[in-house]
Amino acid sequence: MLGGSSGINYMQFVFASRADLDDWEVLGNTGWNYESMAPYYRKFENFQGARPEQEAIGLNNYIDEDAHGLAGPINASFSPGNTPIQNAWPETMANMGLAPNGDPRDGVSLGGYTNPMTMSRGTSQRSFSGNSYWKPFASRPNLHTVTGAVVNNIIFSPDRTGDLVATSLNFTANNQSFIANASREVIISGGTMKSPQMLELS
């Protein structure tokens, strides 16, 4: 499926905490931390906020627009048609001393809050990588999509400084093996499970 799990998941739009991402760097991955990731989170998001009827129950109260992207391809809004449980949820958590103390997107806020979802506010249509990244450009002559393919490994070559750089991709489609050479860069986007697997195979 084009779009992967973003096309079949529950559309909850939750990011890792600052501490979780900073731990990547603590483990030895220089440059992989919250501050380096946050601009990319904002880059792909188009936060559309709560509907007027949802503002009455406080869904916009903890939103800090500076922590969100406002012009990316993936729309984010709150689900329409709140149930009684959804309406009671923020007040209940606040009564327990667990009201949000900021926007969860800032990486440090705690408390019970209602998640935005990856959907367009006006139509309630799922917004995902397939219809937001691929579909608008599917007819470009310089874009070729291969479905049913399995990546065997990424091929690395030394650059002028001796560092290894991904230069090609070895994959199988229709029981045939192919090599795709990159003129600029190789982007690994296989999701939580397949991205690490591709690196391990390489």
Side-chain angles (χ1 to χ4, degrees):
M1 176 179 181
L2 293 174
S5 60
S6 70
I8 59 175
N9 62 16
Y10 194 53
M11 298 187 287
Q12 293 293 311
F13 203 36
V14 184
F15 295 162
S17 70
R18 178 183 290 268
D20 286 339
L21 296 177
D22 286 347
D23 281 346
W24 290 354
E25 189 165 48
V26 171
L27 291 170
N29 303 290
T30 303
W32 287 82
N33 53 47
Y34 177 84
E35 290 298 332
S36 66
M37 292 290 292
Y40 295 97
Y41 282 153
R42 292 191 292 269
K43 185 176 181 179
F44 76 74
E45 180 185 14
N46 178 31
F47 182 69
Q48 299 176 331
R51 296 166 170 82
E53 66 272 17
Q54 295 171 323
E55 293 183 10
I57 60 172
L59 289 191
N60 267 350
N61 289 354
Y62 52 82
I63 297 298
D64 175 8
E65 288 195 349
D66 290 339
H68 292 263
L70 302 175
I74 301 295
N75 296 325
S77 65
F78 293 98
S79 174
N82 293 330
T83 67
I85 290 177
Q86 286 174 299
N87 292 337
W89 157 259
E91 184 178 354
T92 301
M93 298 303 289
N95 290 339
M96 295 173 62
L98 296 172
N101 60 4
D103 192 313
R105 290 292 188 275
D106 65 17
V108 295
S109 297
L110 299 173
Y113 59 92
T114 298
N115 284 316
M117 303 184 75
T118 50
M119 65 167 56
S120 301
R121 189 173 72 173
T123 63
S124 299
Q125 180 185 26
R126 178 190 292 269
S127 182
F128 69 110
S129 58
N131 64 4
S132 299
Y133 279 96
W134 177 79
K135 189 175 181 179
F137 309 105
S139 61
R140 283 188 175 183
N142 62 342
L143 175 63
H144 184 64
T145 303
V146 180
T147 59
V150 176
V151 174
N152 301 318
N153 64 289
I154 301 160
I155 299 170
F156 293 87
S157 302
D159 63 10
R160 283 177 285 185
T161 66
D163 291 332
L164 289 178
V165 176
T167 55
S168 305
L169 187 71
N170 175 11
F171 69 96
T172 299
N174 297 320
N175 296 318
Q176 289 184 281
S177 293
F178 299 90
I179 300 291
N181 296 310
S183 59
R184 294 181 61 184
E185 60 183 346
V186 174
I187 298 174
I188 301 172
S189 183
T192 304
M193 303 298 291
K194 291 299 181 180
S195 291
Q197 182 188 42
M198 283 188 273
L199 291 170
E200 290 170 353
L201 290 172
S202 305

